[in-house]
Amino acid sequence: MTQAPYELYYWPTIQGRGEFVRLALEDAGAPYRDVARKHGPRSGMAAMTKLMGGDAPGLEPFAPPFLKVGELVIAQTANILLYLAPRLGLVPDDEASRLAAHQLQLTVADLVGEVHDTHHPISGSLYYEDQKPEAARRAAAFTGERLPRFLAYFERVLARGGGQGLVGGAHTYVDLSVFQVLAGLDYAFPRAMARVEAGIPGLRALGKRVAARPRVASYLASERRLPFNEEGIFRHYPELDG
Amino acid sequence: MTQAPYELYYWPTIQGRGEFVRLALEDAGAPYRDVARKHGPRSGMAAMTKLMGGDAPGLEPFAPPFLKVGELVIAQTANILLYLAPRLGLVPDDEASRLAAHQLQLTVADLVGEVHDTHHPISGSLYYEDQKPEAARRAAAFTGERLPRFLAYFERVLARGGGQGLVGGAHTYVDLSVFQVLAGLDYAFPRAMARVEAGIPGLRALGKRVAARPRVASYLASERRLPFNEEGIFRHYPELDG
């Protein structure tokens, strides 16, 4: 039995940050094992925490997701994509394009962190229910200011590059990630998204093109695509979508 | 008059995220212009916001810092260091070391983001004074849980690599960044740092070695090193250092 070259370690019940890696692997048709899910949640989690505890060779990850490729363990979502994208044909060859793609991916990561903090503004160790007043205030600032600002930024970048992709004319992993961000925001903040809708025609067209890519469409229709839920990063709490 | 090859754009009155770039350039003895400071705050800020408004060619940055090198504009602190480090001799040549360094730098970035949110847990557009109760709660979670967890992680990584540097035996930009994090945490949270002190002997020794590097020592003693203050990311509010 041959082993898949890529082993993804991530929480087995949520899309979360792991989904940005899954989308790149799926779009490229790359064989991979989603370790914590393939093992079943229990032993999969054990395999993941073993690598996190510093028992394995190589650099210990601070947090999931991480990717194991042979003896190499790579953590931090954007760093995993930086490694994978040239191998999967998801970024142009030139340095300027790669830096641009990574810069945009890190801005996606900042946005995702802010989405997380709308429901966990005090601590990731507390339940949402233990930080609801603070979450309401932070979410109002996010949907009122930050969400429109991030999306207007990506819309401008897309328009300046000609509208086909965020990194010039090429299809890249950043397009997949921005598709995922739109899907997550639509799920979590439908009312806030309705307010910005008129300002993001380019992003909407891009999102549709990504969803229609054959391997992406097939993935989204499969059981491998977990549904959004209230354990993930993009959560739908109507009271936070003012 | 020859132009410095590197032009750094960042807020002129704080260390902030720009300081991680400054330390790499200073340690390497690389000529650079700190644009917003060299112009004087007012016209320097105008130069910075012009590049941010999308008036310049190339990819628009979402936020400072960014680095201009010829026609290339690179944003996101960790991305700037990813570009600079091989050119400044601040990372080994092999891919595994570069991925490890970047992974650690992104974890530094996560820590820095959490430090920022101790005083701005609701919104960066509001004053600290407008979010003090939330800040007190978030800072307690940060100093009680997250700060010890991040530092214990870096201490383990350092110990496993032999103690000389965070990326194996080589001196890298990550060592400079972790020095800066320790300096900032000492300024902002002296009481919380006293509680973790016994657990970070390796990091403390590393910090001393970095501070004693001739070009770093000379930089820290110069006027180019801005003092920490309560406009930056590392702020000393005694009420947040429980």
Side-chain angles (χ1 to χ4, degrees):
Chain A
M1 207 173 101
T2 57
Q3 196 166 352
Y6 300 121
E7 297 188 311
L8 174 65
Y9 290 77
Y10 194 63
W11 310 114
T13 56
I14 63 169
Q15 292 186 18
R17 290 181 172 86
E19 195 67 12
F20 298 98
V21 181
R22 290 192 190 106
L23 277 169
L25 291 164
E26 294 279 352
D27 182 62
Y32 71 101
R33 282 178 67 217
D34 201 332
V35 176
R37 296 182 64 197
K38 286 286 166 71
H39 274 286
R42 197 151 158 187
S43 61
M45 286 290 286
M48 189 167 85
T49 48
K50 192 174 169 216
L51 278 186
M52 285 180 65
D55 278 357
L59 177 59
E60 175 190 341
F62 184 72
F66 44 94
L67 187 77
K68 193 165 179 304
V69 191
E71 289 301 297
L72 193 60
V73 176
I74 309 164
Q76 285 279 358
T77 310
N79 196 38
I80 296 170
L81 291 167
L82 183 74
Y83 170 87
L84 280 178
R87 289 162 171 87
L88 301 181
L90 287 174
V91 72
D93 280 336
D94 63 291
E95 187 180 32
S97 295
R98 290 187 180 183
L99 288 166
H102 193 54
Q103 173 178 322
L104 292 169
Q105 190 65 39
L106 290 172
T107 306
V108 165
D110 287 344
L111 167 52
V112 168
E114 294 192 25
V115 168
H116 172 271
D117 283 6
T118 58
H119 45 80
H120 281 78
I122 300 303
S123 165
S125 301
L126 297 172
Y127 291 108
Y128 164 60
E129 286 69 23
D130 297 322
Q131 47 197 317
K132 283 181 81 168
E134 296 92 344
R137 243 193 123 190
R138 177 143 188 165
F142 176 76
T143 55
E145 262 182 65
R146 300 293 288 173
L147 181 155
R149 193 175 156 202
F150 274 108
L151 294 187
Y153 170 74
F154 287 119
E155 180 75 19
R156 279 199 307 279
V157 168
L158 181 63
R160 277 185 70 178
Q164 281 307 299
L166 284 148
V167 182
H171 168 67
T172 70
Y173 66 98
V174 182
D175 299 331
L176 300 170
S177 291
V178 167
F179 157 80
Q180 173 65 11
V181 161
L182 291 173
L185 292 174
D186 283 338
Y187 174 79
F189 303 108
R191 287 198 291 261
M193 288 301 280
R195 288 197 298 275
V196 300
E197 194 62 38
I200 56 169
L203 293 177
R204 284 306 189 189
L206 176 73
K208 283 196 186 112
R209 285 196 303 276
V210 168
R213 290 175 66 83
R215 291 201 196 96
V216 173
S218 155
Y219 168 64
L220 295 178
S222 76
E223 289 195 352
R224 300 193 301 288
R225 172 77 164 185
L226 293 161
F228 286 108
N229 61 45
E230 279 55 60
E231 295 172 13
I233 292 177
F234 293 100
R235 302 186 183 191
H236 182 52
Y237 294 131
E239 66 273 23
L240 299 187
D241 182 23
Chain B
M1 208 174 101
T2 57
Q3 198 168 348
Y6 299 121
E7 296 188 312
L8 174 65
Y9 289 76
Y10 194 63
W11 310 113
T13 56
I14 63 169
Q15 292 185 19
R17 291 182 171 87
E19 196 68 10
F20 298 98
V21 182
R22 289 192 191 106
L23 278 168
L25 292 163
E26 294 279 351
D27 182 62
Y32 70 102
R33 283 176 68 217
D34 201 331
V35 176
R37 296 183 64 199
K38 285 287 164 70
H39 275 286
R42 198 154 158 186
S43 61
M45 285 290 286
M48 189 165 86
T49 47
K50 192 176 168 213
L51 278 186
M52 285 178 66
D55 279 356
L59 178 58
E60 174 190 341
F62 184 72
F66 45 93
L67 187 76
K68 192 165 180 301
V69 192
E71 289 301 297
L72 194 61
V73 176
I74 309 164
Q76 286 279 359
T77 311
N79 196 38
I80 296 170
L81 291 167
L82 183 75
Y83 170 87
L84 280 177
R87 289 161 171 88
L88 301 181
L90 287 174
V91 73
D93 280 336
D94 63 292
E95 187 181 32
S97 295
R98 289 188 181 183
L99 287 165
H102 193 55
Q103 174 178 322
L104 293 168
Q105 189 66 38
L106 290 172
T107 306
V108 165
D110 288 343
L111 168 52
V112 169
E114 294 193 25
V115 169
H116 172 272
D117 283 6
T118 58
H119 47 79
H120 281 78
I122 300 302
S123 165
S125 300
L126 297 172
Y127 291 109
Y128 164 60
E129 285 69 23
D130 298 322
Q131 47 196 315
K132 283 179 83 167
E134 296 93 344
R137 243 192 123 190
R138 175 140 189 167
F142 176 76
T143 56
E145 262 183 64
R146 298 294 288 173
L147 181 154
R149 193 174 157 203
F150 274 108
L151 293 186
Y153 169 75
F154 287 119
E155 180 75 18
R156 280 199 307 279
V157 168
L158 181 64
R160 280 184 69 178
Q164 282 307 298
L166 284 149
V167 183
H171 168 67
T172 69
Y173 66 97
V174 181
D175 299 332
L176 300 171
S177 292
V178 168
F179 156 80
Q180 173 65 10
V181 161
L182 292 173
L185 292 173
D186 284 339
Y187 173 79
F189 303 109
R191 288 198 290 260
M193 287 300 280
R195 289 197 297 274
V196 301
E197 194 62 36
I200 56 168
L203 292 178
R204 284 307 189 189
L206 176 73
K208 284 197 184 109
R209 285 197 303 277
V210 168
R213 291 175 64 84
R215 290 201 197 98
V216 173
S218 156
Y219 168 64
L220 296 177
S222 75
E223 290 194 351
R224 299 192 302 286
R225 172 79 163 183
L226 293 161
F228 286 108
N229 61 45
E230 278 56 58
E231 296 173 13
I233 292 177
F234 293 102
R235 303 186 183 190
H236 181 53
Y237 294 131
E239 66 273 23
L240 298 186
D241 183 24

